[in-house]
Amino acid sequence: MNLLVLTATDGSYNSVRPEAEIYISLLKFGYNITIMTEEDSAYASRFREHGIRVINAHYNKKISPKTIKNIRETIREHKIDVVFATNSKAISNANIACLGMDVKLVTYRGTTGGLYRHDPSAYLNALNPRVDGVICVSEAVTKRVKKQIFDKSKKVETIYKGHELSWYNTEVMNLEEFGTKNSNFNVAFVANVRPHKGLSYLLQAAKKLAQYEDIHIILIGQNISQEPYVSEIKNSGMQERIHLTGYRNDAPQIIASCSVLVQASTRKEGLSRVILEALAAKTPVIASAIEGNAEIIDDGFNGFIVPIKDADAIAQKIIELYDAPQKLAELSQNCAYTLETKMAHKTTVEKFDRFFRELTQQF
């Protein structure tokens, strides 16, 4: 099968890896793969090493005549059977490029929000009649997409973006550079912060944690040193024990060095990558009850699910694990199981292969 992938791979190596490795693994199933992506990205060289054709592309515009022309020429030249577009700008250009072409168009959907019948921009995305199939990152996303599409014959399916434990450097690092010790009960929070990431609820929870002198909070990511977070940290009662790292390439190692991760998002998450990184590091997760989180956190097994926007519940679960190191150790031992079963890379690749072959009737 001839597969054309339209994707961006200019992010950090770890963030791109779960998707990029799918294409490399599909080679073992007999695929001929062409990828239109940034030719100078870290993963572009890895693609070439495995014999994948890389065509330079930057998805900067919703509608780019140059990009559309390149897609159409590539489809013709390499006799493409399936086009797989993975981000909104790639998808909108692919919808136009594939008009009149004898090719199946598959799009990717990674978030539960932003796709509505009443929104004209949605018809440049998965709701476009030209789209033959949609691969969704979680059951929560699949449910939302199916609710919005008119054509019920369109193939919409959940395929988790699988991982392998061997991909992660989860060595424990020295946390003293951030102002805490590894022997403390360290709570990690990772996000390029926007309101729906729920940082305010963790900072409200900190007020109930202030009396525990060896509980520290490490905030990893961009956009944290601003209001309202600066004031919330100041008023938390544990200002000296809340540490900001800024953006870090070694976030997985920091997570691995902490006792627990808090993921407090209030909406929109399809399947949180940082939760998967925490599970790979054997760091239990306290996650809000948005649908995507509940698919990977088994309450009481590899972490806890707490109500959305509930600072008291977050604090309660942190204190529960602080007071019960044996329970914390038990959850930690269970973390890898999820990645080795439901979220395994091997399973993801097999499902991608089956999806494409069923769509094209190539068996």
Side-chain angles (χ1 to χ4, degrees):
M1 185 183 300
N2 297 322
L3 173 66
L4 172 61
V5 179
L6 313 178
T7 191
T9 56
D10 58 345
S12 67
Y13 197 86
N14 282 340
S15 66
V16 171
R17 192 170 195 172
E19 177 196 338
E21 289 295 329
I22 294 170
Y23 313 129
I24 293 172
S25 293
L26 281 174
L27 295 173
K28 300 172 185 176
F29 289 80
Y31 284 72
N32 298 309
I33 300 178
T34 303
I35 297 182
M36 293 182 64
T37 191
E38 299 84 0
E39 63 180 359
D40 57 350
S41 68
Y43 246 94
S45 60
R46 180 161 167 78
F47 290 146
R48 294 189 193 96
E49 288 171 5
H50 285 81
I52 293 175
R53 183 183 300 106
V54 175
I55 297 174
N56 188 40
H58 294 265
Y59 302 99
N60 299 321
K61 299 178 180 179
K62 286 280 188 182
I63 300 176
S64 165
K66 179 180 177 181
T67 300
I68 293 167
K69 180 182 177 183
N70 287 344
I71 294 170
R72 291 180 68 85
E73 290 177 349
T74 302
I75 292 171
R76 291 193 188 99
E77 181 178 355
H78 300 292
K79 299 179 180 178
I80 298 299
D81 298 299
V82 175
V83 174
F84 180 46
T86 70
N87 62 67
S88 62
K89 291 177 181 176
I91 292 169
S92 57
N93 283 288
N95 274 315
I96 298 172
C98 290
L99 289 172
M101 306 290 283
D102 184 19
V103 65
K104 297 294 185 181
L105 174 58
V106 178
T107 66
Y108 172 80
R109 190 76 190 167
T111 180
T112 57
L115 190 71
Y116 306 102
R117 289 182 178 182
H118 62 265
D119 180 3
S121 68
Y123 297 91
L124 286 174
N125 206 287
L127 298 193
N128 192 293
R130 184 60 187 82
V131 174
D132 300 291
V134 184
I135 292 177
C136 302
V137 74
S138 68
E139 292 291 349
V141 174
T142 296
K143 180 180 177 181
R144 298 295 177 89
V145 172
K146 285 184 174 180
K147 185 176 181 179
Q148 296 300 320
I149 62 173
F150 289 99
D151 183 1
K152 301 305 180 183
S153 67
K154 188 174 293 189
K155 187 174 177 61
V156 182
E157 185 176 317
T158 300
I159 304 180
Y160 293 122
K161 197 178 286 184
H163 294 241
E164 287 186 1
L165 293 175
S166 61
W167 294 348
Y168 295 94
N169 176 4
T170 54
E171 295 180 3
V172 173
M173 63 185 295
N174 190 335
L175 297 177
E176 290 187 4
E177 68 173 286
F178 307 122
T180 183
K181 297 179 180 179
N182 292 63
S183 57
N184 289 327
F185 191 97
N186 295 297
V187 178
F189 178 94
V190 184
N192 292 326
V193 172
R194 288 158 284 170
H196 76 268
K197 293 295 183 179
L199 174 56
S200 290
Y201 299 101
L202 173 58
L203 296 177
Q204 291 170 29
K207 295 177 181 180
K208 293 184 176 296
L209 306 174
Q211 61 181 302
Y212 300 89
E213 295 183 358
D214 54 348
I215 292 182
H216 288 242
I217 297 174
I218 302 178
L219 305 179
I220 308 159
Q222 298 174 327
N223 305 324
I224 298 176
S225 298
Q226 62 180 359
E227 295 296 348
Y229 311 117
V230 172
S231 294
E232 289 172 342
I233 291 170
K234 183 177 180 180
N235 297 325
S236 67
M238 54 183 297
Q239 181 178 1
E240 301 303 319
R241 289 180 281 131
I242 297 177
H243 315 282
L244 282 62
T245 73
Y247 173 79
R248 300 283 300 204
N249 285 321
D250 56 357
Q253 290 97 290
I254 300 175
I255 295 170
S257 309
C258 290
S259 303
V260 67
L261 173 84
V262 170
Q263 205 276 12
S265 292
T266 61
R267 60 183 177 87
K268 290 182 66 174
E269 301 286 351
L271 199 71
S272 173
R273 178 170 55 85
V274 71
I275 289 181
L276 298 174
E277 290 176 344
L279 296 181
K282 296 184 178 181
T283 300
V285 180
I286 297 171
S288 57
I290 57 175
E291 292 171 297
N293 288 350
E295 291 181 41
I296 47 177
I297 296 302
D298 186 354
D299 191 46
F301 179 76
N302 55 7
F304 292 115
I305 295 292
V306 296
I308 299 169
K309 299 182 180 181
D310 194 331
D312 288 346
I314 294 172
Q316 178 185 343
K317 291 303 180 183
I318 292 173
I319 294 168
E320 181 178 332
L321 292 178
Y322 173 83
D323 286 337
Q326 184 175 353
K327 179 63 175 178
L328 179 64
E330 177 187 325
L331 296 183
S332 177
Q333 288 303 309
N334 292 336
C335 284
Y337 177 82
T338 303
L339 292 189
E340 293 170 335
T341 53
K342 179 190 288 190
M343 301 301 301
H345 170 72
K346 179 176 181 291
T347 302
T348 295
V349 177
E350 291 171 349
K351 289 185 175 183
F352 263 79
D353 176 55
R354 186 171 66 248
F355 186 98
F356 292 148
R357 293 194 184 280
E358 287 178 352
L359 194 65
T360 60
Q361 293 299 299
Q362 293 188 34
F363 297 100

